[in-house]
Amino acid sequence: MKLRKRQTGYFGLNTTSTADISFMLLVFFLVTTSMYVDKGFIRRLPPKDKDEKQRNEMVVDKDNIMALGLDAAGQLSVNDTLADIRLLRGQLQTFILSRKDKHLITIDADNDCPYAAYYAVQNALTEAYRGARETTAEKEYGRAMSRLTDEERTAVLTRLPHRVAENYHEEDAQ
C-alpha cells in the first residue's frame, strides 16, 4: 500500500508588484503635494549676552524718528497718536522717502499685544521699505529693483537702509 501525501493547496496573492506600486504612489504624492514653507522676518536680533556690546550707536534728530506703539489691546499709535494699521504702510513709505537715510523707526510693543497686530505692523513695515525702494529705483534708474545691476541695487539700499529699532521689555525675574 502506497501512502500518498495529501496535497494541500495554498492559495495566495501575488505580491511581487506591491513594492513598485507603493513606490509609485509615494512619488506621486510627494510631487503633487504642496509643501508649507514657513516664512519669517529677516531681522537682526540683539545679542544674546548682555555683556556683548555690538551696538552701532547713531545720533538721530527727533524729527527723523517715527515711533510705533502697540498696546495690550492691539491698538496702534504713531508718534503717540492712535492710527489705523491699514493706513500704516503708506505713512511709513512717505516717511522713509522723505527722510532717506536719516530716518529711524522704533517699535514698542506691549508683551500682551496680540500676535496678529504685531505681524500686521511688521508686514506694513516690510512692504513700506519694498515700496520706497521700488519708487526710488524707478525714479533714479527707470527700472524696477529686480532689473537693477548689483551696483545700482546697492546704491538704492544705501540711500534707504533698513533702520528699525525694537524695544524689548524684559520680564521681571522675581
Side-chain angles (χ1 to χ4, degrees):
M1 179 155 105
K2 218 178 199 190
L3 292 173
R4 270 180 74 183
K5 278 190 172 182
R6 213 171 166 186
Q7 286 187 350
T8 55
Y10 293 105
F11 296 102
L13 294 174
N14 185 4
T15 59
T16 54
S17 64
T18 306
D20 294 336
I21 293 171
S22 299
F23 181 70
M24 297 278 280
L25 285 172
L26 177 68
V27 169
F28 171 77
F29 285 113
L30 283 175
V31 169
T32 59
T33 302
S34 61
M35 299 292 179
Y36 175 73
V37 178
D38 191 20
K39 295 181 180 176
F41 299 120
I42 300 172
R43 299 287 187 259
R44 184 175 305 177
L45 297 176
K48 184 177 179 182
D49 231 354
K50 289 184 180 179
D51 296 335
E52 292 181 41
K53 299 292 182 184
Q54 296 179 348
R55 298 181 185 200
N56 295 333
E57 295 185 22
M58 64 176 144
V59 178
V60 180
D61 186 20
K62 191 169 184 153
D63 294 334
N64 293 332
I65 296 175
M66 179 182 267
L68 306 178
L70 284 169
D71 62 6
Q75 289 286 333
L76 172 69
S77 63
V78 177
N79 295 332
D80 297 326
T81 305
L82 285 179
D84 188 0
I85 291 180
R86 295 172 294 194
L87 303 176
L88 182 61
R89 179 185 180 265
Q91 291 174 326
L92 285 168
Q93 187 170 337
T94 303
F95 179 77
I96 293 166
L97 285 171
S98 67
R99 304 302 196 283
K100 300 286 183 199
D101 64 341
K102 300 193 180 348
H103 74 278
L104 177 65
I105 299 168
T106 63
I107 301 174
D108 188 11
D110 190 280
N111 286 340
D112 297 325
C113 168
Y115 183 74
Y118 181 79
Y119 192 73
V121 168
Q122 291 289 347
N123 277 339
L125 188 63
T126 302
E127 286 297 313
Y129 270 106
R130 186 193 59 75
R133 289 172 178 159
E134 286 291 336
T135 301
T136 302
E138 285 288 338
K139 188 182 291 183
E140 293 186 14
Y141 300 107
R143 296 189 305 271
M145 278 288 284
S146 60
R147 307 192 85 185
L148 296 179
T149 64
D150 289 339
E151 295 83 24
E152 293 169 340
R153 188 175 299 117
T154 303
V156 171
L157 293 176
T158 303
R159 281 188 205 100
L160 299 173
H162 190 93
R163 290 200 174 146
V164 178
E166 294 192 43
N167 297 327
Y168 298 101
H169 301 284
E170 294 184 23
E171 298 289 328
D172 293 335
Q174 293 181 5

